[in-house]
Amino acid sequence: MIRHELITPGVGSGTQVVWDLTAGTRVERDAAGVVTFTGTAPTVVADGVKGLGHPKFDVMGQESPRGHGRKRTGMRAKERPVFMPILFSELGEDWAEVQRLFWRCVTPDTPIRWRVTAPDGRVRELLCILDPEEVSYDLDPSIVYAVEPLDMVADDPFWVGDPQSALLAVAGDGTPFFGPSNFGPPLYIQPSSTNGQHRFMVDGDLEAWPVLTLTGPIPAWSVTGLPSGSTVGGVPLLAGDKLVVDFDPTVQAAVRTRSGVVTNVTDQLTQSNFFRLVADSMGGMEVETFVSGTGTMDLTYRPRYWRAV
């Protein structure tokens, strides 16, 4: 059986509620992520859930009076409609209070993460929001055991998996492994832990957009997607600095944290040819990294899928 969870903001600023609609439980966390309360939740009528399969899509094509049918030239996935029939029961807490809290957390302007866990343990998520065309509340809210419709829409129709670390590049400081005491420093085994070219497989059904995280000190750095040669680099980092570069076409930004101060430094990138990671390519994806200093470069991504399972 698939496990269905909704992750919503809580009532207070920065708080969060995880609604397990399969087990009928909820966990409330404060802004620091500490669990502050556990209680009951509505349950989902699994047979009525919609949104787990492929999204609808438009097909582009060419037609000619000289030939039959058409020639496909491309496709575009459409937003994904989502529907959940949910049921509030009298078990546990006062069901009316649980119902009020649920609808305070699920509002028209609040993004909601729908998380499903397959029987084999794989987890995928879909970002949803209430569907303005379908939202209705026709039921008497005092009726117990009435199935209430939760209509949502996913503007980005693709499911995403947990973040994957593709590579970790570490620049050496030139320190001899064995010091005067004849004992070496701690040794950590890391995948792709040197500068140069790295090959790795990209999970998912579609292309993915990486997130690059660098920690200083790094006087100079760059990462290049091969064979395209698209390169992103620049923004030197001091010791303690952290730089996050998001390659997503809707973001494409570099944000630096220095002494607790967060600054958008996208305009300081000396090269900003953002590239994508190609899933299921023959032989895997190849990138070339360069990191000077003694900092680290971590390249992660979230695989994207057509379906929830």
Side-chain angles (χ1 to χ4, degrees), residues 29-227:
R29 292 187 172 89
D30 61 18
V34 178
V35 175
T36 57
F37 186 80
T38 59
T40 59
T43 55
V44 64
V45 182
D47 291 343
V49 173
K50 297 180 180 179
L52 297 171
H54 282 79
K56 295 182 178 180
F57 53 90
D58 293 325
V59 174
M60 281 71 78
Q62 295 177 341
E63 297 183 5
S64 170
R66 297 184 179 182
H68 300 289
R70 66 176 176 180
K71 177 182 179 182
R72 290 199 177 195
T73 58
M75 57 79 63
R76 183 188 68 89
K78 303 174 68 173
E79 67 276 11
R80 179 192 295 266
V82 171
F83 177 75
M84 287 185 178
I86 57 176
L87 175 66
F88 292 88
S89 73
E90 291 181 305
L91 300 177
E93 298 173 72
D94 176 23
W95 71 273
E97 289 300 320
V98 176
Q99 183 193 59
R100 293 189 185 103
L101 176 62
F102 182 81
W103 291 112
R104 286 186 69 184
C105 296
V106 179
T107 62
D109 59 350
T110 303
I112 302 164
R113 281 189 290 148
W114 176 16
R115 182 167 62 196
V116 300
T117 304
D120 62 1
R122 296 189 182 186
V123 177
R124 295 179 185 175
E125 292 184 352
L126 185 71
L127 191 63
C128 308
I129 198 164
L130 284 180
D131 188 342
E133 302 297 329
E134 300 292 342
V135 171
S136 62
Y137 199 93
D138 300 329
L139 302 175
D140 181 346
S142 66
I143 299 175
V144 187
Y145 291 115
V147 176
E148 300 184 15
L150 176 58
D151 289 282
M152 299 184 290
V153 62
D155 293 328
D156 182 345
F158 301 116
W159 289 86
V160 297
D162 287 335
Q164 304 292 315
S165 181
L167 65 89
L168 177 65
V170 183
D173 60 2
T175 302
F177 188 79
F178 292 103
S181 64
N182 206 32
F183 286 95
L187 176 63
Y188 302 97
I189 304 299
Q190 300 282 3
S192 301
S193 58
T194 58
N195 289 328
Q197 295 184 1
H198 315 280
R199 186 180 298 274
F200 53 88
M201 300 302 298
V202 179
D203 196 12
D205 301 326
L206 304 116
E207 74 278 2
W209 303 98
V211 173
L212 197 63
T213 303
L214 301 104
T215 55
I218 301 178
W221 63 271
S222 67
V223 59
T224 302
L226 301 175

